Amino acid sequence: MRLLVVGRLSGQLASAVKMAMAHGAKVHHVERGDQATEQLRRGQGADLLMVDYRVDIAALIAANEAERIHVPVVACGVDAGPDDAAATIRAGAKEFIPLPPEADLIAAVLSAVADDDRPLISADPSMKAVIGLADQVARSEASILITGESGVGKEVMARYLHQNSRRADKPFISVNCAAIPDNLLESELFGHEKGAFTGAVARRVGKFEEADGGTLLLDEISEMDVRLQAKLLRALQERVIDRVGGTAPVKVDIRIIATSNRDLARSVSEGNFREDLLYRLNVVNLRLPSLRERPGDIPALADFFVRKYAAANGVPVRPVSADARRALTAHRWNGNVRELENAMHRAVLLAQGPEIDVDAIRLPDGQPLTGATYDAGPASRAAQTADAVTRAYVGQTVAQMEKTLILDTLGHCLGNRTHAANILGISIRTLRNKLNEYADEGTPIPAPQSGISAAVG
């Protein structure tokens, strides 16, 4: 966890910094917002900015976004009133921490932002075999390709590899290739020089240089434009990069881990992915099985998420009942571990009595897990589904049906664009274009979230 503190290091703020360091954070400090942006621009990255409320937070966030730097901000301050705290949230801060600090609050904020509490949990033999292979190759310098459906834990595996590598004390930098538009991804990866394009007011260090000495995760690499793949291939082969607008190559020392939820061999045959790049990335392939292929992991993961979200929400840890365990194991979990995590988060909050019973485990639309996959037989479920589809789509145009399908799928995925695109069988770019079109029409678009559905009964 890398923490950048912005503001005068008063006694109370210094105490907060010491608490953060006690929880494993690596802390740097600057006094002004422009100094923070300059430090981030130079590649001295941060996972969180802790900013004194008297600093112009809105200007700091705007300056960072102009440089395509997106780091969450937490405001803090001594003797700040409710109006001051509210103003920081309106300016873009995610949280406000009153000073003097409370150790539990500091720990909770760091944990929420870092999201490092994601251990690699496994009890199923099929997953244990993959972990065994990961242990064999973790200390090597080989590039590793992690494949599997959306939500199976590819980034968790990537972090596990880094933590068990010889680079564990160096940065782990992750880039989601599906979330960054093509025209911005090159600068994000390789950086740019001042004046390289409109808005490039200063040199910006990219993720390759930020990860120097450590590990760079290229998440969902299958979504990278084929033209940018050539530049990536050169960087991997020669261990040098060219900043956008630069005149001299820059040496980098990194280990590459890539992930994909698509069949890259098929993408190669379709002309969407370079074959030579696939060979370079796929020195070792770790295929993570879907959750339905490793049912032995479901109870272990469910218990972990119960403990995690009970602690996060300040509620008692209730055991999962025997009936609930059977229902969890019987469910297909098309969204894999991510879907299970969200379901158990809801269950922790909805449970009543001494145990988490089957009634507390709900699907994203609020329907009980039992009605979908546990009590009903296959024939009954098929008939119900066919009837619902017929009633929903009769009388609609093809465009209306497509819109309904896309928005319903996105809602089912709790707003996760990558997961929805994978289910729909379209690229993330196509999905983004469709959503922009619907938004222009005034249609509400589900935002990424993991909370409880309003429909619980």
Side-chain angles (χ1 to χ4, degrees):
M1 175 66 178
R2 301 167 300 168
L3 178 65
L4 178 58
V5 178
V6 186
R8 296 188 62 185
L9 206 57
S10 64
Q12 300 295 352
L13 185 56
S15 297
V17 168
K18 289 179 181 178
M19 288 182 185
M21 293 176 68
H23 285 89
K26 296 179 181 178
V27 181
H28 294 279
H29 168 252
V30 294
E31 290 197 353
R32 304 193 313 270
D34 61 328
Q35 293 173 325
T37 300
E38 176 60 26
Q39 185 155 322
L40 294 170
R41 186 190 291 127
R42 292 200 306 264
Q44 299 176 9
D47 300 303
L48 176 67
L49 301 182
M50 183 180 288
V51 184
D52 189 299
Y53 78 100
R54 289 165 293 192
V55 172
D56 190 340
I57 291 175
L60 170 59
I61 293 174
N64 287 347
E65 290 182 347
E67 293 289 334
R68 303 164 186 170
I69 299 170
H70 303 284
V71 181
V73 170
V74 170
C76 60
V78 180
D79 300 326
D83 291 342
D84 297 318
T88 66
I89 301 301
R90 288 195 297 270
K94 301 297 184 184
E95 299 284 352
F96 182 86
I97 301 176
L99 300 180
E102 296 181 8
D104 290 345
L105 181 57
I106 294 290
V109 169
L110 294 178
S111 176
V113 173
D115 198 18
D116 284 337
D117 189 19
R118 294 181 292 174
L120 193 57
I121 295 172
S122 177
D124 194 276
S126 63
M127 189 62 182
K128 284 183 175 295
V130 180
I131 295 174
L133 178 57
D135 289 337
Q136 281 185 261
V137 301
R139 294 185 62 79
S140 74
E141 291 298 303
S143 298
I144 295 178
L145 179 63
I146 306 173
T147 58
E149 295 179 7
S150 180
V152 293
K154 295 188 290 294
E155 184 171 350
V156 175
M157 174 59 80
R159 289 180 181 274
Y160 178 85
L161 288 164
H162 173 71
Q163 291 162 2
N164 289 277
S165 74
R166 289 179 290 185
R167 299 172 178 263
D169 60 338
K170 300 297 183 181
F172 176 88
I173 304 297
S174 176
V175 181
N176 188 331
C177 301
I180 303 173
D182 293 337
N183 60 330
L184 303 181
L185 184 56
E186 182 178 8
S187 174
E188 187 74 13
L189 289 173
F190 302 110
H192 61 252
E193 297 288 350
K194 180 180 179 180
F197 49 81
T198 302
V201 297
R203 170 184 287 178
R204 162 81 189 280
V205 167
K207 298 301 184 183
F208 266 83
E209 289 180 81
E210 192 176 333
D212 191 43
T215 302
L216 177 63
L217 170 61
L218 299 175
D219 198 17
E220 302 302 349
I221 195 170
S222 54
E223 303 300 326
M224 181 182 290
D225 185 82
V226 69
R227 292 169 295 181
L228 186 54
Q229 292 172 23
K231 188 168 183 177
L232 173 61
L233 179 63
R234 176 176 180 265
L236 298 183
Q237 289 175 332
E238 303 180 17
R239 292 298 191 241
V240 297
I241 62 164
D242 296 308
R243 298 192 190 108
V244 178
T247 57
V250 179
K251 291 184 178 181
V252 289
D253 172 25
I254 59 172
R255 194 227 194 134
I256 293 289
I257 299 176
T259 76
S260 176
N261 60 12
R262 296 186 182 276
D263 182 348
L264 287 182
R266 180 177 178 182
S267 296
V268 168
S269 66
E270 294 173 347
N272 297 322
F273 203 83
R274 293 181 62 110
E275 186 175 28
D276 46 4
L277 178 58
L278 176 57
Y279 290 145
R280 177 65 62 175
L281 293 170
N282 196 23
V283 177
V284 178
N285 178 251
L286 297 177
R287 178 194 172 273
L288 302 191
S290 65
L291 196 53
R292 58 187 172 274
E293 295 176 279
R294 43 177 164 133
D297 285 351
I298 295 175
L301 287 165
D303 289 340
F304 169 75
F305 292 135
V306 166
R307 293 191 298 270
K308 175 180 177 178
Y309 288 110
N313 291 283
V315 300
V317 178
R318 295 179 173 92
V320 181
S321 73
D323 284 346
R325 287 181 184 277
R326 284 192 289 270
L328 289 169
T329 305
H331 189 63
R332 282 186 59 80
W333 300 113
N334 291 327
N336 292 295
V337 179
R338 186 182 295 122
E339 184 185 2
L340 175 63
E341 179 175 3
N342 290 334
M344 298 317 297
H345 191 176
R346 285 189 290 271
V348 164
L349 300 177
L350 296 175
Q352 299 177 354
E355 293 183 315
I356 294 178
D357 209 345
V358 116
D359 291 339
I361 303 174
R362 302 276 173 156
L363 299 177
D365 61 0
Q367 294 299 311
L369 190 65
T370 53
T373 61
Y374 187 57
D375 288 339
S380 175
R381 290 198 301 272
Q384 291 172 4
T385 301
D387 183 58
V389 169
T390 300
R391 289 198 309 270
Y393 290 138
V394 168
Q396 292 193 33
T397 66
V398 171
Q400 290 170 331
M401 290 174 64
E402 179 186 61
K403 180 177 180 180
T404 300
L405 179 61
I406 288 175
L407 294 178
D408 285 354
T409 303
L410 188 62
H412 173 75
C413 298
L414 300 178
N416 185 291
R417 271 63 172 164
T418 302
H419 187 191
N422 186 46
I423 291 174
L424 292 165
I426 60 178
S427 71
I428 192 71
R429 296 186 192 88
T430 300
L431 178 60
R432 267 201 297 261
N433 291 337
K434 290 291 183 182
L435 295 179
N436 289 336
E437 177 184 322
Y438 302 153
D440 291 342
E441 297 170 355
T443 303
I445 306 299
Q449 50 92 19
S450 60
I452 302 174
S453 171
V456 294

